[in-house]
């Protein structure tokens, strides 16, 4: 039975497991009842500041208890969370905040400088600042500061700037309005790459998010009943994979173990210390674990369910993992626009090598010719169109891109994934290729158009093209091709990379820049990325 809203589901698990540990962070434990108490007080503090139902609030935070508390507090108020990566630059921050219409932002003291830099160019009325160690016991904070283990930044509270802890210590929750939410109310918006160079907001309703989380949890429920799992957060909470597995654990009554950053020794230590049952992350994480020189010093035998998403898991990584740990890595395929989980591999089933699971019960997948959109025969490769009853129906404030990516066919709305897949006779989905317009780098989905737009803003660049270069460790590396103006002298690849670093999130910055006299184009002048991509693939194959 799906609850009507996120917070209603949270209240349900609190009633069922009040004393059970909901959250673990650097040794700090919150029971479900304690977590709800903190959430209610934070919601009351936000209410006092004027945050109300329907307001948009940016979460510019890394994985930490404050992130989870804030997200749940916003659900309690009926506000709309806008989680973004804490490594985004001021340019990204300003754009997403203004596009969403957010009037409130949560940030760390260490990235408060970026917030202050663009504050007057946004609609923000209030900034709430926290520190990674703020909720830890005083003696842990003291040790951390003494050993210089806690990063911190300077900020002055007052005016429009508030301390997180002061809101958490709001004495009375009586100011909270009665809780009421509709299943079809918008509860969150995640941003993904845009074909025009600008990120696109993907809004979720309560019912869509809850259905997706339920389907994700269902694949392991036969072996690990709800309320008994211990999940370690192997991905960022601002990403759909991290939300469906991590936040989905809390909404299922399971225990979630949080780490402030991905450090493999820290990950191993927490798995061993808390006897973690479920691990999830991108393929690059699993490769890094296998190649880590201290992995054998830890006891990881508690792991029962290992899930990989965000990119294609190389067969050799899957085989090495199974041989080393005696357990498989279960794969899935999805997108932000589908709220994750298009296909999942049920625990206990071993799909054919290279498969990414079976289409989940609430999703419909149609495989079509990418040029004509004509349905293809079963087993033939083609573009995946995805539909569901409660699917995302449009991008936020992007009618042109909505028209390109969401289409009506056979009386249903379909999302065009631009991914090439095939589905065999037994229902297993195989991910074969992605659109040339996106790159999968370290599990991130990077829109090439955004990088090209930044490069073409440089006064020396006439045109630019960006492609993914195959790489075993990170999926693809980002390579840019640039054509410079004839009258420009002395501009180097270093200059263009520096330009990109100042305007793009670190994971979007190209690793290579190659200069060309011209770029391949079609007869109508359209950039032919596929030709440059084919060149790079040939080079990769020759070096293997």
């Amino acid at each position: 039975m799906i609850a009507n809203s996120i917070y209603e589901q949270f209240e349900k698990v609190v009633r069922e497991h009040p004393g059970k540990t909901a959250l673990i962070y650097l040794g700090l434990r919150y029971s479900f009842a304690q977590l709800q108490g903190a959430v209610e007080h934070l919601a009351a503090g936000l209410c006092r500041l004027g945050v109300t139902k329907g307001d948009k609030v940016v979460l510019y935070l890394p994985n930490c208890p404050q992130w989870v508390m804030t997200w749940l507090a916003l659900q309690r108020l009926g506000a709309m969370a806008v989680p973004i990566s804490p490594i985004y630059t001021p340019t990204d921050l300003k754009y997403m905040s203004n596009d969403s219409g957010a009037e409130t932002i949560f940030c760390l003291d260490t990235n408060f400088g970026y917030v202050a830099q663009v504050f007057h160019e946004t609609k923000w009325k209030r900034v709430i600042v926290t520190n990674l160690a703020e909720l830890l016991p005083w003696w842990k904070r003291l040790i951390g500061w003494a050993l210089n283990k806690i990063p911190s930044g300077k900020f002055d509270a007052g005016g429009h700037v508030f301390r997180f802890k002061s809101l958490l210590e709001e004495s009375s929750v009586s100011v909270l309005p009665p809780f009421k939410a509709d299943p079809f109310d918008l509860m969150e918006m995640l941003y993904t790459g845009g074909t025009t160079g600008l990120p696109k907001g993907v809004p979720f309703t309560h019912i869509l998010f809850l259905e997706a989380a339920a389907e994700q949890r269902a694949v392991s429920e036969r072996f690990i009943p709800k309320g008994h799992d211990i999940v370690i957060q192997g991905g960022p909470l601002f990403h759909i994979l991290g939300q469906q597995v991590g936040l989905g654990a809390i909404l299922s009554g399971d225990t979630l173990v949080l780490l402030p950053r991905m450090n493999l020794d820290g990950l191993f230590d927490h798995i061993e210390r808390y006897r973690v049952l479920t691990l999830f992350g991108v393929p690059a994480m699993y490769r890094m674990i296998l190649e880590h020189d201290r992995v054998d010093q830890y006891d990881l035998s508690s792991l029962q369910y290992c899930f990989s998403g965000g990119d294609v898991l190389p067969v050799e990584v899957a085989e090495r993992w199974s041989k080393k740990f005696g357990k498989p890595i279960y794969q899935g395929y999805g997108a932000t626009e589908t709220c994750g989980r298009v296909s999942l591999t049920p625990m206990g089933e071993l799909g054919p090598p290279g498969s990414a699971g079976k289409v989940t019960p609430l999703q419909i997948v149609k495989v079509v010719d990418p040029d004509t959109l004509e349905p293809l025969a079963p087993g033939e490769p083609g573009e995946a169109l995805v539909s569901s009853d409660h699917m995302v129906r449009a991008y936020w404030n992007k009618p042109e891109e909505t028209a390109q990516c969401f289409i009506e066919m056979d009386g249903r709305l379909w999302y065009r994934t631009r991914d090439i897949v095939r589905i065999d006779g037994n229902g297993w989905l195989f991910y074969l290729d992605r659109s040339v317009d996106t790159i999968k780098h370290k599990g991130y989905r990077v829109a090439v158009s955004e990088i090209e737009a930044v490069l073409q803003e440089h006064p020396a660049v006439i045109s630019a093209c960006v492609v993914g270069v195959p790489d075993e460790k990170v999926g693809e590396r980002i390579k840019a091709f640039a054509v410079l103006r004839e009258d420009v002298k002395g501009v180097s690849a270093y200059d263009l990379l520096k330009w990109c670093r100042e305007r793009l999130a670190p994971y979007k910055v190209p690793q290579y820049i190659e200069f060309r006299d011209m770029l391949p184009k079609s007869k109508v002048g359209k950039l032919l990325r596929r030709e440059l991509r084919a060149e790079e693939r040939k080079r990769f194959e020759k070096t293997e």
Side-chain angles (χ1 to χ4, degrees):
M1 180 71 178
I2 298 290
N4 285 325
S5 68
I6 301 290
Y7 202 74
E8 183 180 313
Q9 177 61 27
F10 178 61
E11 286 184 312
K12 178 175 179 290
V13 298
V14 172
R15 289 193 301 271
E16 293 172 350
H17 312 282
K20 184 178 182 298
T21 299
L23 202 60
I24 300 174
Y25 176 76
L26 301 179
L28 178 68
R29 289 175 179 263
Y30 284 90
S31 69
F32 276 96
Q34 289 172 329
L35 180 58
Q36 184 184 34
V39 168
E40 294 272 328
H41 282 277
L42 178 59
L46 289 172
C47 185
R48 181 170 53 82
L49 293 182
V51 178
T52 61
K53 182 178 174 65
D55 284 359
K56 292 34 168 225
V57 178
V58 173
L59 277 69
Y60 188 41
L61 297 169
N63 293 353
C64 58
Q66 296 95 309
W67 199 109
V68 177
M69 291 173 184
T70 302
W71 190 80
L72 288 169
L74 296 177
Q75 306 310 317
R76 170 63 180 84
L77 293 172
M80 190 171 168
V82 185
I84 66 174
S85 170
I87 64 173
Y88 275 156
T89 63
T91 302
D92 296 313
L93 183 59
K94 181 178 74 172
Y95 170 76
M96 293 177 195
S97 293
N98 288 339
D99 182 66
S100 67
E103 295 183 347
T104 306
I105 181 169
F106 282 76
C107 70
L108 284 184
D109 52 1
T110 51
N111 55 18
F112 176 76
Y114 280 177
V115 174
Q117 185 176 327
V118 296
F119 180 84
H120 294 293
E121 301 174 58
T122 68
K123 301 172 184 176
W124 297 330
K125 295 179 180 178
R126 52 196 78 86
V127 180
I128 293 96
V129 188
T130 188
N131 177 274
L132 278 174
E134 185 172 22
L135 302 184
L136 296 178
W138 68 268
W139 58 271
K140 280 197 173 186
R141 298 199 306 273
L142 185 62
I143 293 173
W145 287 324
L147 297 177
N148 199 29
K149 295 292 185 181
I150 302 174
S152 61
K154 294 181 179 180
F155 71 98
D156 293 318
H160 58 267
V161 180
F162 304 88
R163 294 180 183 274
F164 182 92
K165 203 165 185 180
S166 67
L167 296 186
L168 200 60
E169 293 168 350
E170 173 73 32
S171 59
S172 175
V173 297
S174 61
V175 298
L176 286 173
F179 175 68
K180 185 179 180 181
D182 184 272
F184 299 99
D185 284 345
L186 295 178
M187 47 71 59
E188 177 180 67
M189 182 155 64
L190 297 183
Y191 275 87
T192 188
T195 57
T196 62
L198 297 173
K200 302 170 293 189
V202 182
F204 300 143
T205 59
H206 288 272
I207 190 167
L208 171 61
F209 190 94
L210 288 170
E211 285 182 345
E215 287 199 308
Q216 181 78 49
R217 183 63 178 88
V219 294
S220 61
E221 188 176 356
R222 186 160 66 95
F223 294 86
I224 309 174
K226 286 183 179 179
H228 292 79
D229 203 359
I230 302 173
V231 179
I232 194 160
Q233 187 73 28
L237 283 165
F238 60 79
H239 189 277
I240 190 60
L241 173 62
Q243 293 200 350
Q244 287 302 307
V245 186
L247 296 176
I250 290 178
L251 296 176
S252 297
D254 299 318
T255 297
L256 180 63
V257 181
L258 282 178
L259 292 169
R261 60 176 61 87
M262 180 52 69
N263 171 280
L264 288 185
D265 282 291
L267 182 76
F268 301 154
D269 175 75
H270 280 63
I271 291 172
E272 179 178 341
R273 183 188 304 261
Y274 299 110
R275 305 306 293 162
V276 167
L277 303 179
T278 292
L279 168 68
F280 72 94
V282 297
M285 181 193 75
Y286 287 100
R287 181 186 291 277
M288 289 166 62
I289 290 173
L290 286 168
E291 295 176 354
H292 195 279
D293 57 4
R294 290 185 295 278
V295 66
D296 292 329
Q297 297 177 19
Y298 299 88
D299 178 10
L300 308 184
S301 62
S302 64
L303 291 175
Q304 294 185 29
Y305 179 63
C306 301
F307 178 76
S308 174
D311 205 347
V312 177
L313 179 72
V315 173
E316 60 94 9
V317 172
E319 291 176 346
R320 286 170 59 196
W321 184 274
S322 180
K323 183 178 180 181
K324 183 172 184 63
F325 296 106
K327 298 178 180 73
I329 298 175
Y330 295 96
Q331 295 185 64
Y333 161 71
T336 303
E337 289 85 347
T338 61
C339 205
R341 89 330 167 194
V342 170
S343 64
L344 295 168
T345 305
M347 188 174 177
E349 291 190 38
L350 292 179
S355 64
K358 293 180 177 178
V359 177
T360 60
L362 296 179
Q363 301 278 58
I364 304 170
V365 176
K366 185 192 292 285
V367 181
V368 301
D369 183 297
D371 296 319
T372 66
L373 299 184
E374 289 295 318
L376 298 172
E380 286 193 35
E383 181 183 347
L385 306 185
V386 182
S387 180
S388 67
D389 290 345
H390 302 129
M391 66 186 288
V392 172
R393 306 193 70 81
Y395 291 119
W396 187 264
N397 294 333
K398 293 283 187 296
E400 183 179 331
E401 295 202 0
T402 294
Q404 293 173 358
C405 298
F406 293 88
I407 60 172
E408 292 279 352
M409 184 186 295
D410 302 329
R412 295 191 69 96
L413 183 68
W414 300 83
Y415 166 62
R416 293 194 65 175
T417 65
R418 311 285 177 170
D419 291 331
I420 304 301
V421 308
R422 70 176 178 87
I423 301 176
D424 71 13
N426 295 316
W428 292 96
L429 183 147
F430 294 79
Y431 180 94
L432 304 178
D433 201 359
R434 68 183 59 88
S435 162
V436 295
D437 297 327
T438 58
I439 293 171
K440 281 293 184 71
H441 177 65
K442 294 184 177 179
Y444 289 100
R445 189 178 180 184
V446 181
V448 297
S449 53
E450 181 180 0
I451 306 170
E452 290 170 356
V454 167
L455 283 167
Q456 286 168 180
E457 288 172 2
H458 193 285
V461 176
I462 297 176
S463 60
C465 180
V466 174
V467 300
V469 178
D471 184 279
E472 288 185 351
K473 292 186 176 180
V474 297
E476 288 180 303
R477 293 193 180 275
I478 302 170
K479 180 171 183 176
F481 297 84
V483 178
L484 301 181
R485 300 183 187 279
E486 290 184 2
D487 58 342
V488 171
K489 304 294 182 184
V491 173
S492 66
Y494 174 82
D495 297 321
L496 294 188
L497 289 174
K498 182 181 178 183
W499 175 270
C500 289
R501 289 190 191 101
E502 293 170 350
R503 291 162 176 80
L504 292 168
Y507 68 88
K508 298 179 183 178
V509 176
Q511 280 77 46
Y512 320 97
I513 292 185
E514 181 178 320
F515 293 108
R516 293 279 181 103
D517 293 330
M518 60 185 297
L519 298 174
K521 293 184 178 179
S522 67
K523 293 180 180 179
V524 295
K526 187 175 180 181
L527 196 61
L528 295 176
R529 293 191 186 96
R530 64 175 180 270
E531 291 192 7
L532 293 174
R533 197 164 173 236
E535 284 183 28
E536 295 304 318
R537 282 191 168 181
K538 285 181 181 178
R539 290 184 188 178
F540 176 75
E541 290 166 0
K542 287 180 180 179
T543 59
E544 283 190 305

